[in-house]
Amino acid sequence: MDDHTITIDGAEIPFQQGQTIMDAALAAEVYIPHLCHYPGLTPRGNCRLCSVDMGNKSVAACTTAAVAGQQISSDTPALNAARKSITQMLFIEGNHICPSCEKSGNCKLQAMGYYLGMLDEHFPQFYQRREIDASHADILLDRDRCILCDLCVRASREVDGKDVFAIAGRGMDAHLIVNSSTGKLIDSNMAASDLAANICPVGAILIKQEGYQVPIGQRIYDQNMINEVGLQEKAVKKTKQDDD
Amino acid sequence: MNQRLPINSDSKSEHLLHRLYALQQQCLHISPEAIRQVANEFNLPVSQITAVVAFYAFFYQQPCGRYHILFSNCTSCGYLADGENLLLQFSQHLDVAPGKTRLDGLVSLGETSCIGLCDHGAAMLINGLPIIELDANRIEQIAQLIITETPLTNWPTEWFQVNDIVHKQGLMLSENFTVGSSLKRALASSADDLLAIIEESALCGRGGAGFNTAKKWRICQQASGSAHYVVCNADEGEPGTFKDRLLLRSHVEAMFEGMALCAYIIGAEKGFIYLRGEYRYLLPHLQAVLDQYRQLGLLGNHICGDVAFNFDIEIIVGAGAYICGEESALIESLEGKPGIPRVRPPFPVTHGYLGQPTVVNNVETFIAAAQIVLHGSDWFRSVGTEQSTGSKILSVSGDCQLPGIYEYPFGISVQQVLHDCEAKEVQAVQIGGPAGRLIGKEDFNRRISFEDLSTGGSLLIFGKHRDLLTINRNFAHFFAHESCGFCTPCRVGTKLLKNNLDKIADGRGTQQDVVEIKQLSDLIQRHSHCGLGHTAANHMLDSLQHFPQAIEDLTQQVFAPPFALDEAIKDACRITHRDDAVARLK
Ligand SMILES: Cc1cc2nc3c(=O)[nH]c(=O)nc-3n(C[C@H](O)[C@H](O)[C@H](O)COP(=O)(O)O)c2cc1C
Ligand code: SF4
Ligand code: SF4
Ligand code: FES
């Protein structure tokens, strides 16, 4: 066997030193479902959508280094069932109002639901109370729909060169906070052009004054499935190196 | 990058957790102003300080009472352990709601995960100090002392008297340890010879995972870095475990020497003890022995006159987070961050504290290492099994006559332990705490060892009279409370599991619930990020396998709503002043 290949669902895939399983898969146009991963940002591994089987273990493809000879299964009924359950968990944990949400059709969580054949929420709703922050002139933060993916946190730190967000609180109390003296977005240095303002996979961070410009029915995931769109995403460039 | 800057204890006089603790002591909570002030002092983002304060259970953003009470909710030292609800009694005596501070600021009441006093009856922490052997009578007396605002120093001292209850001494506990003996012996040998002795002993970690200690030290020794670190894991968070409490109280000299000889081998100059916040009352003793060691030249610069060997130890006190026992979460906490487990690999032994090679070992492991150097590897191997050499110190509690500490050679059967602690009519035993395994009678001949039943030291006994579903529910609440919240399967899954068990306990269990619990448990176990999630559903899966009756009896209905209907409309009824028959659904 070649020194620099891994096998995913029977297909041999080349990788370069330093790549994760996810990096190698995306480069080879093999889709592994993911929500908290974005090419170019430091992977965190919190959503667990990208769980793949390796030996008798399950690992997160986005944080596991590719090592020559790895035998990986990804597109299996059992894994897709687990991914569906995890997606349902993300739905019931927050307050998702798809039919009236501005993100509908552009939302990755919703698109993931479609991709995995999710027909209901399955688990009872948590009905959590979460704070809305409408203080900023151009950006709305509605934590009801936050899935704690940490993408805005990393985008702000690694690409925007700011440090606008963090996740605070343990367990079910985990929630997104704003790094400003008042905890409000208006007192942060966030701008609508920041990557952090545009990377949110769901409708938790929205740009104001541009709602419904693209009609429902013509939006990203109205046209293509998330497994197709997910392979098109271009890596963002870090301005700072994460020293973790 | 700014927010990633760790608190370097060398350049800062105070650790972030200690600074926050001091503020909390002063103002009984940590206010937004205090957070901004600390952010300034430490030159860290406000968001990091906020995240730390929000993460640890012992930091409060709302004022606590002048008497702050935390009842343990462990199955052994918890407020329900003896069948009556001591927390409720306390709450009624003082008219303070659980989880709240009384309006006059006199008293606040809460509950907390196991505080490691399982051999001392029901227990609580009051302003951080333990009170043991709680019963209805003592609760009433405590309430009186609070009402009269009697200072804690005037309370009966025997209430606070935590003892070492050792029922069985084995290889390690029976040795009298002379201060400096192990370290002096160690320094007479080369690092490589010492490592060879540890290697021959086949010592494996006593904290639960059982990794080979010499192997860990060798990898760390060989890892390159600007500095190496030794960390002693004294977080002892697994409910039902209290053997490190004994070791820290009465055998800490050997532990310091074990850390020092590890430092000598791997080339470290700095060591940390991560002490769980629940054990803060042990701090004065630990500091005193540390000072003694420094005065004797056994710690500090040029240890025992060896000009090339400098090593000192700092104690960092946690603030109520079980996850900080996980080694990478512990290191995050040492660095002044929330205790969120890192992605592993890389493991701490190559990328640990400040990204440098770091050995993390349990209290008992360091003590064993110091003893091995003193008495030789043959002495150590004289007991135990081929794969599990030496002895294991167990914390035994629950339904037995003689709860306390027992030291056995590895390979001892569960049956023997039950016999020795005079446990009668045992229904089930939980080995290794809620994260471990639940076994029934048919498995009592199994042996405590890495190859069979592994345990970090907790052994909880449940008698015939216990309702196992209540135990499962207790454990499910524990994990939902302690999940760090980082990954979806554990964060949401542990809460769903808890809700499911609450629903069954509330008389609304259905056949479908059993299916759900099984699926949910499998998902949490398989797809979580760290060891907490991987083990959080063990107790449930074991229960379903070994004691299916316990849950099946309660899940006979075909359908029941996921929530209690009348409970759900309670607020609406109150607001509309409706209490008539029509306004009730059941
Ligand atoms: C959730 C969790 C909690 C843990 N708690 C502790 C603990 O309280 N004490 C401990 O020594 N090890 C604990 N561990 C194990 C540590 O991660 C680590 O393996 C251990 O400290 C290594 O020391 P040892 O090799 O001497 O056992 C815990 C692990 C997990 C996953
Ligand atoms: S706001 Fe959006 S991007 Fe940020 S953590 Fe929540 S879901 Fe992720
Ligand atoms: S498994 Fe639980 S404790 Fe571990 S990272 Fe995930 S949420 Fe945190
Ligand atoms: S994409 Fe890998 S864990 Fe979220």
Side-chain angles (χ1 to χ4, degrees):
Chain A
M1 182 182 291
D2 190 310
D3 246 351
H4 277 285
T5 63
I6 57 176
T7 308
I8 302 181
D9 294 329
E12 267 197 32
I13 287 171
F15 73 93
Q16 281 154 25
Q17 194 61 40
Q19 278 188 321
T20 61
I21 296 172
M22 179 68 78
D23 296 333
L26 289 177
E29 304 207 347
V30 171
Y31 177 72
I32 299 175
H34 55 275
L35 282 176
C36 74
H37 176 75
Y38 201 95
L41 297 180
T42 307
R44 279 291 275 162
N46 56 55
C47 78
R48 308 316 272 188
L49 257 299
C50 70
S51 284
V52 293
D53 287 343
M54 211 165 71
N56 52 12
K57 268 192 359 194
S58 153
V59 299
C62 69
T63 54
T64 306
V67 175
Q70 278 168 340
Q71 298 287 331
I72 295 153
S73 321
S74 171
D75 195 8
T76 70
L79 278 170
N80 285 328
R83 290 170 184 146
K84 185 165 89 178
S85 295
I86 293 171
T87 308
Q88 288 164 327
M89 285 178 167
L90 291 170
F91 267 104
I92 61 100
E93 178 189 24
N95 303 307
H96 294 273
I97 46 158
C98 296
S100 57
C101 177
E102 205 289 322
K103 196 78 173 186
S104 196
N106 290 331
C107 171
K108 286 186 179 172
L109 185 67
Q110 195 186 52
M112 190 62 76
Y114 284 125
Y115 173 71
L116 295 168
M118 175 183 145
L119 299 176
D120 65 358
E121 296 192 322
H122 185 81
F123 304 111
Q125 285 275 347
F126 285 173
Y127 298 115
Q128 295 204 83
R129 275 171 205 246
R130 292 192 176 164
E131 223 177 296
I132 294 178
D133 181 348
S135 63
H136 197 284
D138 306 320
I139 304 160
L140 175 70
L141 170 60
D142 185 347
R143 295 181 178 86
D144 281 308
R145 290 182 283 290
C146 174
I147 58 170
L148 302 167
C149 72
D150 191 66
L151 279 173
C152 57
V153 179
R154 284 170 281 159
S156 181
R157 283 180 192 167
E158 298 176 6
V159 177
D160 303 331
K162 304 179 182 180
D163 185 21
V164 174
F165 295 111
I167 290 173
R170 194 168 84 193
M172 279 316 294
D173 292 332
H175 59 282
L176 190 72
I177 59 170
V178 174
N179 184 26
S180 69
S181 57
T182 56
K184 293 282 182 209
L185 265 184
I186 181 99
D187 297 310
S188 75
N189 54 352
M190 188 165 184
S193 56
D194 288 356
L195 181 63
N198 296 280
I199 200 167
C200 183
V202 290
I205 300 179
L206 296 172
I207 307 291
K208 292 181 175 175
Q209 324 298 343
E210 56 178 44
Y212 299 100
Q213 278 179 2
V214 180
I216 303 269
Q218 295 171 28
R219 297 179 164 204
I220 301 171
Y221 302 105
D222 296 330
Q223 327 261 7
N224 293 290
M225 295 289 278
I226 193 168
N227 58 325
E228 298 156 353
V229 179
L231 293 176
Q232 321 278 305
E233 280 169 349
K234 297 268 171 300
V236 293
K237 276 233 163 4
K238 286 189 198 179
T239 51
K240 295 195 171 188
Q241 278 299 312
D242 195 33
D243 56 9
D244 217 20
Chain B
M1 184 181 335
N2 195 23
Q3 80 288 341
R4 292 274 169 176
L5 265 187
I7 313 304
N8 190 333
S9 54
D10 293 327
S11 66
K12 285 270 164 25
S13 57
E14 209 173 10
H15 191 273
L16 177 59
L17 293 185
H18 294 183
R19 179 76 186 109
L20 291 171
Y21 173 78
L23 279 168
Q24 161 99 23
Q25 286 298 95
Q26 223 170 43
C27 314
L28 302 181
H29 75 304
I30 299 168
S31 64
E33 300 80 64
I35 288 176
R36 284 194 288 270
Q37 180 194 322
V38 174
N40 250 326
E41 286 169 17
F42 284 75
N43 194 21
L44 286 169
V46 178
S47 57
Q48 182 175 337
I49 312 296
T50 309
V52 167
V53 171
F55 189 85
Y56 296 92
F58 293 171
F59 293 143
Y60 299 87
Q61 287 173 277
Q62 299 298 326
C64 294
R66 296 190 290 285
Y67 294 87
H68 178 53
I69 280 85
L70 288 174
F71 278 89
S72 164
N73 57 22
C74 156
T75 56
S76 287
C77 62
Y79 62 88
L80 285 172
D82 283 328
E84 27 176 13
N85 190 333
L86 298 175
L87 184 141
L88 193 67
Q89 291 175 8
F90 184 91
S91 150
Q92 286 162 352
H93 284 310
L94 281 164
D95 195 20
V96 54
K100 292 265 162 30
T101 303
R102 216 168 79 167
L103 280 180
D104 62 3
L106 176 67
V107 55
S108 48
L109 172 62
E111 55 183 280
T112 191
S113 304
C114 178
I115 57 177
L117 287 167
C118 315
D119 52 348
H120 283 73
M124 63 156 68
L125 291 174
I126 179 159
N127 296 348
L129 293 173
I131 299 189
I132 56 169
E133 289 165 2
L134 298 175
D135 56 17
N137 187 19
R138 189 161 290 184
I139 292 293
E140 206 181 324
Q141 290 176 287
I142 291 172
Q144 271 313 314
L145 289 168
I146 292 177
I147 290 167
T148 52
E149 299 209 37
T150 310
L152 286 180
T153 41
N154 296 349
W155 291 26
T157 49
E158 67 273 14
W159 291 3
F160 301 90
Q161 191 55 53
V162 174
N163 295 310
D164 296 347
I165 306 176
V166 182
H167 291 295
K168 202 164 171 6
Q169 296 185 327
L171 195 65
M172 301 215 294
L173 295 181
S174 56
E175 291 291 341
N176 283 320
F177 188 84
T178 313
V179 168
S181 57
S182 177
L183 196 50
K184 282 179 187 148
R185 175 74 62 90
L187 295 187
S189 314
S190 72
D192 287 342
D193 289 346
L194 281 177
L195 198 50
I197 297 174
I198 307 285
E199 200 151 40
E200 278 160 29
S201 77
L203 171 66
C204 289
R206 266 49 181 159
F211 192 81
N212 182 289
T213 305
K215 194 168 166 189
K216 185 182 276 185
W217 293 10
R218 190 179 296 282
I219 300 171
C220 189
Q221 182 194 46
Q222 287 167 357
S224 56
S226 57
H228 287 56
Y229 295 95
V230 180
V231 176
C232 175
N233 189 341
D235 198 51
E236 190 155 71
E238 193 65 47
T241 321
F242 48 89
K243 51 103 190 165
D244 290 344
R245 187 196 81 215
L246 162 95
L247 296 174
L248 292 164
R249 274 168 53 90
S250 303
H251 300 267
V252 75
E253 295 80 2
M255 183 185 91
F256 290 152
E257 294 187 32
M259 291 176 72
L261 77 95
C262 173
Y264 182 67
I265 291 173
I266 66 168
E269 298 205 337
K270 173 101 202 172
F272 293 99
I273 296 166
Y274 190 84
L275 181 71
R276 68 186 309 220
E278 292 82 347
Y279 287 172
R280 181 178 286 279
Y281 60 92
L282 300 178
L283 200 54
H285 168 67
L286 299 181
Q287 294 289 13
V289 182
L290 266 186
D291 285 343
Q292 182 197 4
Y293 265 67
R294 290 186 190 118
Q295 274 159 23
L296 292 172
L298 296 167
L299 282 176
N301 288 338
H302 314 321
I303 293 177
C304 297
D306 183 338
V307 287
F309 185 36
N310 309 322
F311 177 67
D312 211 338
I313 294 173
E314 187 181 347
I315 304 171
I316 306 299
V317 189
Y322 166 67
I323 189 61
C324 289
E326 195 280 340
E327 55 183 13
S328 68
L330 186 158
I331 290 170
E332 288 284 300
S333 185
L334 279 184
E335 291 183 3
K337 296 184 233 161
I340 295 186
R342 295 176 176 174
V343 173
R344 305 180 322 153
F347 294 96
V349 35
T350 56
H351 295 75
Y353 182 65
L354 306 181
Q356 303 304 317
T358 304
V359 161
V360 182
N361 275 128
N362 177 252
V363 171
E364 190 181 343
T365 312
F366 282 120
I367 294 179
Q371 300 264 22
I372 289 165
V373 165
L374 202 53
H375 304 293
S377 52
D378 286 341
W379 166 84
F380 191 71
R381 297 186 69 117
S382 67
V383 303
T385 71
E386 192 57 36
Q387 283 175 60
S388 313
T389 54
S391 63
K392 182 75 192 100
I393 302 174
L394 297 180
S395 329
V396 177
S397 70
D399 302 322
C400 63
Q401 291 301 311
L402 302 172
I405 298 290
Y406 294 74
E407 184 186 10
Y408 288 105
F410 265 119
I412 190 80
S413 72
V414 175
Q415 189 61 61
Q416 185 65 49
V417 181
L418 294 178
H419 174 265
D420 291 350
C421 71
E422 298 184 13
K424 308 233 162 57
E425 309 224 290
V426 179
Q427 178 181 189
V429 175
Q430 181 78 27
I431 308 235
R437 312 263 38 156
L438 180 68
I439 61 166
K441 242 190 170 57
E442 63 284 4
D443 285 322
F444 289 173
N445 57 352
R446 289 179 62 184
R447 293 175 185 283
I448 291 171
S449 60
F450 297 116
E451 58 271 27
D452 189 358
L453 286 171
S454 185
T455 171
S458 165
L459 196 141
L460 300 166
I461 302 167
F462 302 122
K464 283 262 171 330
H465 62 285
R466 293 262 200 159
D467 166 29
L468 283 187
L469 191 80
T470 308
I471 305 292
N472 284 128
R473 228 181 118 211
N474 179 292
F475 293 171
H477 278 250
F478 168 74
F479 286 114
H481 177 66
E482 297 294 348
S483 164
C484 84
F486 171 75
C487 72
T488 318
C490 174
R491 181 183 69 242
V492 185
T494 54
K495 164 99 184 237
L496 282 169
L497 202 53
K498 168 188 141 182
N499 289 354
N500 239 317
L501 286 169
D502 287 352
K503 172 174 180 262
I504 295 171
D506 198 35
R508 287 179 291 113
T510 66
Q511 293 156 13
Q512 184 59 24
D513 282 320
V514 183
V515 181
E516 284 295 324
I517 286 175
K518 174 82 178 55
Q519 283 177 357
L520 206 50
S521 298
D522 285 336
L523 185 88
I524 301 169
Q525 188 176 53
R526 192 159 174 82
H527 296 289
S528 294
H529 168 66
C530 85
L532 188 150
H534 295 153
T535 55
N538 282 353
H539 67 92
M540 210 52 247
L541 292 167
D542 287 348
S543 205
L544 289 174
Q545 189 186 342
H546 301 304
F547 304 94
Q549 214 58 43
I551 191 164
E552 274 166 18
D553 289 348
L554 293 163
T555 50
Q556 289 304 312
Q557 304 170 70
V558 178
F559 173 79
F563 50 88
L565 295 172
D566 283 309
E567 185 62 25
I569 60 166
K570 200 178 61 189
D571 284 347
C573 286
R574 192 172 42 81
I575 293 163
T576 53
H577 304 289
R578 287 282 301 273
D579 191 26
D580 49 300
V582 192
R584 276 193 295 271
L585 297 165
K586 239 168 154 178

